[in-house]
Structure formats: C-alpha cells, structure tokens
Amino acid sequence: MRTISQIQVGLRAREFSAVEIAREALAHAERQNPSTNAFLSLSHERAIAAAEHVDAQLSAGGELGLLGGVPVAVKDVISTKGLKTTCGSRMLENYIPPYDATAIERLEAAGGVIIGKANCDEFAMGSSNENSAYGPVRNPVDLERVPGGSSGGSAAAVAQGSVPVSLGSDTGGSIRQPASFCGVVGVTPTYGRVSRYGLVAFASSLDHIGPFATNVSDAAALLQVIAGRDQMDATSAPVQVPDYLAALQNTDVRGMKVGVPVEYMRQATGDTAARIQESIQALRDLGCEVRDISLPNTEYAIAAYYIICTAEASANLARYDGVRYTARSKQSGTLHEMYANTRGEFFGPEVKRRIMLGTYVLSHGYYDAYYKKAQQVRALITRDFSNAFAEVDAIVAPVSPFPAFKIGEKVDDPVAMYLSDIYTITGSLAGIPCMSVPCGNTSEGLPVGLQILCGHFEESRMFQLANAFEKHRGNSAVQ
Ligand code: GLN
C-alpha cells in the first residue's frame, strides 16, 4: 500500500483514481482476511461513494483534503452511521449506530475513505486481540502470533498493507502495544486532544482515539484531521491544534533533552532491551542529550489502572441490558431474568471479569480502599511525569516487555496478560501523548517498538523526535 503522499501525488497526476485506490484496498483486505482476520466488516458502498466524491472534486478542479482518497480502517468500537459497530462483542452483533463519531465525520470531511471496521478485543479489553467474540487477529508478521490488543485489527490492517492508516483506541496501551507488535507507528494523543464522541466507552477517563500508520508523517496527518475541540465531548480540550506536518519539516533534534526511566529499563530484557539501548544510542547520535530519570511510582501503575478501568467499565457497560442496542436473551421470564440472562449469554469472559472486579471495587465499604486509593496513585504517577518533564523534553522507553507472543500462550493467565501493559499504562493514567515507533526486530524477526512520551499537548515535539529517529533508521515503512 502506498503512503498518503504517494496516493495524493498519484491522484493529482491522474495516474489512478480514488475509486481505483478504494477498490484495491477493499480487494486487498478481502484477500488477507482469511489469514489475519483483521476486518470484521468491509464497507464497499460507503468507500466507493466517498472515493467518487473525491474524484468528482478533483475533476472539478478542487483541492484534495489532507486525507483525500486515502483508504482508512476503523476499529469496531468507533461508531459509524449505518455500519455495524460490534465492539468485538456478541452483545452488539447487530448494532448499527444512528450517528458517526466526530473523528469519523472529520476524517471523511478531509476526504478519507473508510473501507471497513477492524477487529478488536471485546469492548477494547485485552492485550492480544484474543478476546474478540469473532476470533483472534493473526499478526501479519507471523501468523502464529498475536498482533497485540486491543486494537489488533487496526494495527494488522496497516501492517498487512491493506490501508496506509487506521484508527484505533487506547485506554491503557491498545494503540502503542499492537503498533509495536506489528511493526507500525501508533499514536495515543493527549487525553482530550481528540473527541471521544461516538467512541464506545470502556473507561471514560482513560479512553483515547488515535492513529496507526506505516510512518510518522502519515500518523501526524491523520491526527491533524481528527484533533481539536468538539462541542459533543465536554472532555475534549479547547486547545488549538498546531500544524503537525509543518513541525515535521524540522528534523534537527540536537540539544533535545531525552529521559530514560530507570524503573522501566531495569525490567527490560533480551532483544527488546537491546533494541531500546540501540535506539537510545541513535538518539545520542542525532545530538539529543540523553539522561536517566526516575518515575518512582511506576510499580503501582498496573494495580491502579486495573482498579480504575474496571470501575469505569462496570458503570459504562451497565447500558447493555437487552432493552436497547443489544441482543436479548430468549430465556426470559421476569425483567431481572432478562437482564441477567442477556448479560450472561452475550458478554465474553474477560468483560464479565472486569464488570465483576469493577463492581466490587466500587461497592460500599471498599470504595476508599480501592477506587479512591487508585485515584491517589494516579495523581502520584501524573506528578512523576510533571517532575520529569521539568527536566527533559521527551521520555523514551520500551512499549512492551516482550515482542508478539504466540496465540494461546497467555490466555489462561489474566494476570500475566495484565502485567504485559506495564510500560504503556503509566502514560495513559497521566493522560500524556505517547507513541510507538518501530525500532528494529528481535533475532526471530519480530518487531520491537520504541515508546516516546511527551508533556500534555506536546504532540508536535513527540512527532519531531519520532520522525528524526525514523529517518535516522532509514526504515519508514513495514512493507
Ligand atoms: N490491555 C489493556 C487492557 O486490557 C489496555 C486496553 C486498552 O487500551 N483498550 O485494559
């Protein structure tokens, strides 16, 4: 698949039409799906209509939007009017949203062409995409392995070359970790940078929509389009969106102060640690001033995250009761039986586990011990980052302690699965922008991602560093 700029150059030169690009992307996705299962549905009609619109605009002498004619895959937790949005759940198997998420509206207004909905862990709960009710996604790099989660389908759709960019969601690592496992770029913007309107809620104080791409510049272009205040989401920030693509023109990162958290590096081992150390050396070669920093409350992050996210999930998922939106159990006598049977039949085991955990930590008498304590820990973790950013401009770290693991390897041990989120959860709790950029492979050929984290709303700086690093490596695409 071509990059955004290759598509746009070709469209302007009339080498191909947007409809041809859309058909190519749809056919590619269709061909790959039996092996990777990256897509839950393809949106032929909507894609062709959007592409025809772009072609008509071009023929009339109009300008191409930032995403004009670019095929995009969308994680199936983001509402698309008239297109099924299942959230990877049997509960929403036949749910067709009556409206588009703001990110979708903006993406289409910029000429983006949605070709389909990407597979994911049920309600975005997971780290491997094995919690999808519609079967796991297989990593295009190695079909025996997971693509990461929960946005596994969005990462795989880009890595397999069906689309140049896709949208995912990240609550505790669900964009960065699959990006690192599949060897693509994945960006979690600042909390509030992108409207959550139309993103099906998992843990509202942590949920973000963000882009995947084969290179930093394409990811920046997609974020450019979807970012900014939205009246429909009170938590979207009234902060001006800078010109990210202009920021990328500056590839000089000499003198940039980069911190490496000692608490993270202590735990990194094997090829992952080796690739991260080489990346740190590359940043030094680029003229960055690299130094150790401390994020002392890191060890409490997983415990705090799995209390906060389950608490919020237990409240958010209360709406799936068989009355509206959802499937309904046929074994229903009383109303209460209908609720219980519907939720029992149509939620998968991980979702049930989280609802039960969340309900427990919020229950009378336990609230202070769990939820309140977790929020206090969250404040400490956020403070760790503000202290660090008083000294450095950016932080680099691994994304995941290990590369893509085998399908089935961790399914029986939820705690082991949760522990794999160790490096991504801290940034999510603090609400800062963070991303994964490919930084090489293990000896088995599995991709490793370098995580870059910056202060609130400093995506430009983060992209600048990632772009300089990507150029230095001379490997800006997976394919
Ligand atoms: N793996 C984490 C979880 O299972 C993160 C999920 C996400 O970011 N949506 O909660």
Side-chain angles (χ1 to χ4, degrees), residues 75 123-127 149-150 169-175 202 207 305-306 309 350 354 417-418 420-421 425 428:
K75 185 178 183 180
F123 289 102
M125 297 174 187
S127 307
S150 64
S169 72
D170 192 310
T171 303
S174 279
I175 292 178
F202 159 17
D207 292 342
Y305 170 83
Y306 277 96
C309 84
E350 181 62 24
R354 300 220 185 178
M417 196 72 98
Y418 297 170
S420 72
D421 300 331
I425 270 170
S428 307

Side-chain angles (χ1 to χ4, degrees), residues 64 77 122 129 146 149 171 184 205 268 297 338 357 362:
L64 270 181
V77 292
E122 185 173 6
N129 219 125
V146 304
T171 303
V184 298
S205 76
N297 291 293
M338 192 281 282
L357 271 169
L362 289 177

Side-chain angles (χ1 to χ4, degrees), residues 102 106 190-197 226-239 457:
T102 299
R106 292 184 178 179
T190 306
Y191 182 79
R193 179 79 294 185
V194 175
S195 167
R196 288 182 297 109
Y197 182 67
I226 60 173
R229 169 79 185 155
D230 172 24
Q231 289 211 331
M232 302 303 280
D233 172 9
T235 63
S236 70
V239 177
F457 298 102

Side-chain angles (χ1 to χ4, degrees), residues 389-404:
F389 287 124
E391 285 179 43
V392 295
D393 303 312
I395 293 173
V396 295
V399 173
S400 159
F402 33 71

Side-chain angles (χ1 to χ4, degrees), residues 261-268 295 298 385 397-398 423 426-427 451:
V262 288
E263 292 80 4
Y264 290 39
M265 294 313 287
R266 238 180 254 143
Q267 299 175 38
L295 299 170
T298 300
F385 279 109
Y423 301 130
T426 46
Q451 188 175 195

Side-chain angles (χ1 to χ4, degrees), residues 71-94:
V72 187
V74 175
K75 185 178 183 180
D76 213 18
V77 292
I78 301 176
S79 303
T80 40
K81 186 176 178 177
L83 293 180
K84 259 208 272 186
T85 299
T86 67
C87 297
S89 182
R90 289 276 168 228
M91 188 63 97
L92 294 176
E93 190 162 7
N94 297 308

